[in-house]
Amino acid sequence: MPELPEVETTRRGIAPHIEGRSLVRVLVRQPQLRWPVPEADLQQLPPARLVSVQRRAKYLLLEFGKGTVLLHLGMSGSLRIVEQQEAVGRHDHLDLLFDNDLTLRLTDPRRFGAVLWLGASPREHPLLAKLGPEPFSDEFTGSYLYDRSRSRKLPVKQFIMDQQIVTGAGNIYASEALFHSGIRPTRPAGRISLLRYQRLADAIKETLSQAITQGGTTLRDFVGGDGKPGYFQQQLHVYGRTGLPCNRCGRPLQETRLGNRSSVYCSHCQR
DNA sequence: ATAATCACCTGCTCGC
DNA sequence: TGCGAGCAGGTGATTA
């Protein structure tokens, strides 16, 4: 489910309900996620005040005075604020109960998500240390992409989905940004001009920020932390539209596979 | 260092 | 209606 816009939508949905509140209880129902949930560390946390809910790349960071809890939603994860009496579902793996009688609940059918305990200096954790720049930072520009891509031969779509190059784009938004910048996803990253990388960087920023504004893309059952669906799916030009007419030229959209991910594009508009 | 492949897990859709 | 195949928003680990 979640690329950067969905994670950011989730952050904005849950933060107002729990920031500044005190964590009173931790309930781990399923410790087998991507890595074992560090239950002992989590149980030592209460009572602890949640200082803030931050996002870095597709990770959410719950910053308590004593340390930081890292959450990742994997492919199918979601976080919601629920009332105490809310019925528990089959894939509700973690509850964090706060002193205002609200619970932050992690649901993740495929269990590719993660819950980790980061002690002090969380940003030095291996999962965070090597991440590339945030797409909305000043550091992320066309010339940055151009410089990092010299001598790289892999397809540009895989290049921009690499979180060490730039964080936040996944299969949906990488596909959309490449459409908007007129670049074919299969093109080797090192064989794209500076001008076209400037267009691509702009398209990545624009696509992600538009999606955040719309509350993310709802496929299947994604809802943000406030329970509302995302509306960005109405703006998708290529993702999930194989064989349908290109919104720009009307020719049928093509599909190929890159890194075992479906990649949809217009062979006329994207070169 | 780079690129390609595998692995993790459940649920849903499709074709037969 | 049942059943296996294939696919799904991610990414670390392993292999050349």
Side-chain angles (χ1 to χ4, degrees):
Chain A
M1 161 249 301
E3 300 182 36
L4 185 149
E6 290 74 35
V7 177
E8 179 62 22
T9 295
T10 298
R11 191 192 68 77
R12 294 180 186 186
I14 65 175
H17 300 286
I18 56 176
E19 271 182 351
R21 308 306 311 199
S22 187
L23 178 69
V24 294
R25 195 152 92 91
V26 175
L27 196 53
V28 179
R29 297 194 190 80
Q30 168 57 276
Q32 299 302 313
L33 302 184
R34 173 139 203 203
W35 296 286
V37 174
E39 182 161 10
D41 290 319
L42 298 181
Q43 293 300 351
Q44 282 181 263
L45 205 41
R49 182 172 172 272
L50 176 61
V51 177
S52 67
V53 182
Q54 309 269 352
R55 180 189 59 74
R56 172 71 173 110
K58 300 172 190 171
Y59 296 99
L60 285 172
L61 302 171
L62 307 183
E63 300 197 346
F64 295 91
K66 303 173 180 175
T68 298
V69 174
L70 173 148
L71 301 173
H72 193 284
L73 300 177
M75 289 276 263
S76 58
S78 60
L79 284 167
R80 287 178 306 142
I81 299 291
V82 299
E83 307 274 343
Q84 299 275 342
Q85 66 274 16
E86 177 100 4
V88 174
R90 175 156 140 71
H91 303 296
D92 294 340
H93 307 316
L94 173 74
D95 278 358
L96 299 181
L97 287 69
F98 289 87
D99 62 357
N100 56 354
D101 289 339
L102 293 179
T103 295
L104 179 64
R105 176 166 291 173
L106 173 69
T107 306
D108 184 4
R110 293 177 74 179
R111 290 191 271 127
F112 290 171
V115 178
L116 294 178
W117 169 251
L118 314 186
S121 55
R123 305 271 164 167
E124 289 163 32
H125 188 276
L127 289 178
L128 302 181
K130 296 195 309 188
L131 290 170
E134 288 288 318
F136 304 124
S137 67
D138 293 341
E139 185 186 350
F140 178 63
T141 63
S143 51
Y144 165 83
L145 283 178
Y146 181 80
D147 291 344
R148 295 282 318 250
S149 63
R150 294 309 91 182
S151 82
R152 298 295 300 270
K153 292 177 180 168
L154 86 169
V156 62
K157 174 159 173 277
Q158 289 171 267
F159 177 69
I160 60 171
M161 286 175 67
D162 181 347
Q163 304 298 296
Q164 296 188 25
I165 299 300
V166 58
T167 64
N171 203 31
I172 297 176
Y173 300 110
S175 302
E176 295 299 308
L178 286 164
F179 174 79
H180 287 296
S181 48
I183 300 169
R184 198 174 288 205
T186 51
R187 177 167 290 273
R191 298 198 42 245
I192 295 173
S193 70
L194 174 58
L195 174 64
R196 303 185 79 211
Y197 267 126
Q198 287 167 342
R199 291 186 185 133
L200 179 55
D202 288 345
I204 290 170
K205 291 173 195 264
E206 181 65 15
T207 304
L208 294 176
S209 67
Q210 287 285 321
I212 292 169
T213 299
Q214 304 275 321
T217 299
T218 292
L219 303 174
R220 301 172 186 84
D221 55 6
F222 169 77
V223 291
D226 57 2
K228 292 180 187 149
Y231 292 96
F232 191 77
Q233 75 273 22
Q234 297 164 24
Q235 337 269 331
L236 296 178
H237 286 79
V238 288
Y239 179 86
R241 298 194 65 240
T242 304
L244 295 173
C246 171
N247 288 335
R248 188 163 168 272
C249 76
R251 293 172 172 82
L253 296 172
Q254 310 293 305
E255 177 173 337
T256 185
R257 286 192 86 75
L258 295 173
N260 210 27
R261 310 300 294 278
S262 78
S263 305
V264 189
Y265 64 100
C266 175
S267 58
H268 177 74
C269 299
Q270 295 174 258
R271 301 287 176 164

